[in-house]
């Protein structure tokens, strides 16, 4: 369980304002990229609610947002704290980690994705959890690699780090001048694999601001995960997908191939088009029906949490 301390809560919501509002607890699985991204995006819409970590020395918070961590949700519910439990990522072939029935369940699910054959009981779809700021820097440069190794078998992660990732990082440095890798877990593995490339930054998603890094990057390579897709869609920015690792990523990549077959793959570091997208190219996002999703998923989840905090059950 990764309950946010007051310091991490503040870091997770750089756009929020400290104030005298009710205390709400924020929690996420820091070893899961989608979970860390979802928490940050919802927290940015909490306004004057005070974000806190739970402590036996303080009264329990009036409400909580828990991303993915079922054990944390159950613990808070046993303490009498009303919880919004958010499933942040694609659940893959098996719908594990369903929220406890006493929590208000929400699932990050873009409206343009096919309905899953294994819906999570009692949970409502949020639509896309977009970042609060959707602008891109005018002076974008370098490459951002957003990599999720959550749920990936060790052998697959090691093979990817030693092979494809090394080649992509070397090409990114050569083609774009810089490379930043943001990951959820396997930090030591990646830093070891990239030790010969000291100019490549390797950052932990829970300790960085991936959305801000994306706004400053010229090239975006990402694992097929919902948080990365939401980021590129909201900013109508080019995106190339890294090889799918693990069953959940492969299942989502298969669905994306049917809905957005135009999404390029980062499978050839020597392809010049990977590092210099055509001027004005924004990916295939214009092909999606805007009526299927208004990108307000984070606001919706924040609104539910605010309602719990201001009028507890």
């Amino acid at each position: 369980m990764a309950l946010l301390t007051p310091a991490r809560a503040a870091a997770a919501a750089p756009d929020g304002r400290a104030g005298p509002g009710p205390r709400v607890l924020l929690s996420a699985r820091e070893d899961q990229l989608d979970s860390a991204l979802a928490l940050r995006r919802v927290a940015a819409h909490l306004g004057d609610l005070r974000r806190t970590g739970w402590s036996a020395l303080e009264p329990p918070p009036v409400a909580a947002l828990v991303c993915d961590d079922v054990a944390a949700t159950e613990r808070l519910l046993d303490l009498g704290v009303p919880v919004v439990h958010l499933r942040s990522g694609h659940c893959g072939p098996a719908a594990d980690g369903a929220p406890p029935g006493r929590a208000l369940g929400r699932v990050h699910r873009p409206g343009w994705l096919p309905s899953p054959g294994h819906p999570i009981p009692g949970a409502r779809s949020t639509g896309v959890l977009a970042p609060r700021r959707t602008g891109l820097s005018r002076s974008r440069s370098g490459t951002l690699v957003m990599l999720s190794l959550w749920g990936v078998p060790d052998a697959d992660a090691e093979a990817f780090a030693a092979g494809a990732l090394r080649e992509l990082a070397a090409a990114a440095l050569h083609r774009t001048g810089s490379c930043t890798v943001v990951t959820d877990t396997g930090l030591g593995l990646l830093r070891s694999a990239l030790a010969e490339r000291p100019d490549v930054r390797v950052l932990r998603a829970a300790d960085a601001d991936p959305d801000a890094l994306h706004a400053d990057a010229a090239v975006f390579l990402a694992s097929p995960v919902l948080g990365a897709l939401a980021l590129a869609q909201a900013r109508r920015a080019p995106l190339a997908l890294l090889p799918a690792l693990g069953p959940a990523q492969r299942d989502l990549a298969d669905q994306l191939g049917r809905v957005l077959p135009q999404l390029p793959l980062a499978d050839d570091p020597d392809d010049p088009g990977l590092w210099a997208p055509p001027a004005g190219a924004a990916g295939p996002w214009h092909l999606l029906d805007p009526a299927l999703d208004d990108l307000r998923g984070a606001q919706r989840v924040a609104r539910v949490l605010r309602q719990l905090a201001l009028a507890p059950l």
Side-chain angles (χ1 to χ4, degrees):
M1 178 172 64
L3 298 184
L4 293 189
T5 62
R8 186 173 302 286
D15 295 318
R17 301 185 305 275
R23 289 172 54 246
V24 294
L25 183 144
L26 306 181
S27 172
R29 287 187 58 99
E30 295 185 349
D31 58 350
Q32 183 179 358
L33 178 62
D34 275 326
S35 194
L37 293 174
L39 184 70
R40 173 178 293 275
R41 291 173 189 171
V42 174
H45 295 280
L46 293 181
D48 60 355
L49 294 181
R50 289 182 292 158
R51 303 86 191 263
T52 184
W54 185 80
S55 167
L57 301 178
E58 296 180 314
V62 297
L65 168 67
V66 176
C67 298
D68 304 286
D69 192 335
V70 174
T73 292
E74 291 176 338
R75 179 186 177 194
L76 289 163
L77 291 171
D78 289 343
L79 292 170
V81 178
V83 177
V84 179
H85 183 96
L86 173 63
R87 177 64 180 262
S88 67
H90 181 69
C91 56
D96 59 336
R102 294 176 293 162
L104 294 178
R106 296 294 184 269
V107 176
H108 183 196
R109 189 75 183 174
W112 48 266
L113 269 180
S115 298
H118 37 70
I120 297 179
R124 296 183 182 179
S125 176
T126 64
V128 169
L129 296 174
R132 181 169 183 172
R133 296 181 178 179
T134 57
L136 292 167
S137 171
R138 293 183 179 180
S139 57
R140 298 188 298 279
S141 64
T143 297
L144 173 64
V145 179
M146 194 175 287
L147 173 64
S148 177
L149 296 179
W150 176 81
V152 175
D154 290 345
D156 292 352
E158 291 167 3
F160 174 78
L165 182 61
R166 279 181 177 174
E167 295 176 359
L168 287 169
L173 288 174
H174 174 68
R175 298 276 189 172
T176 69
S178 67
C179 180
T180 299
V181 179
V182 174
T183 187
D184 42 18
T185 188
L187 205 66
L189 168 66
L190 300 185
R191 286 177 172 166
S192 176
L194 297 171
E196 296 178 355
R197 303 285 178 181
D199 292 339
V200 178
R201 292 194 300 168
V202 181
L203 307 176
R204 185 168 174 256
D207 299 326
D209 186 345
D211 293 348
L213 291 170
H214 175 259
D216 292 331
V219 175
F220 184 34
L221 314 180
S223 298
V225 294
L226 292 179
L229 290 167
L231 186 56
Q233 180 190 355
R235 290 175 171 166
R236 303 182 72 81
L239 164 67
L241 292 179
L242 297 171
L245 303 174
Q249 290 185 26
R250 285 193 289 270
D251 189 66
L252 179 56
D254 181 64
Q255 293 188 26
L256 290 172
R258 297 194 296 269
V259 179
L260 293 171
Q262 301 86 352
L263 269 178
L265 300 178
D267 56 359
D268 182 6
D270 295 326
D271 179 7
L274 187 64
W275 312 107
W285 312 115
H286 66 283
L287 300 176
L288 299 177
D289 183 353
L292 294 178
D293 213 319
D294 60 7
L295 306 179
R296 296 179 183 173
Q299 292 97 310
R300 292 190 184 95
V301 177
R303 187 180 305 119
V304 174
L305 184 61
R306 288 183 61 83
Q307 289 171 346
L308 283 182
L310 298 175
L313 298 177

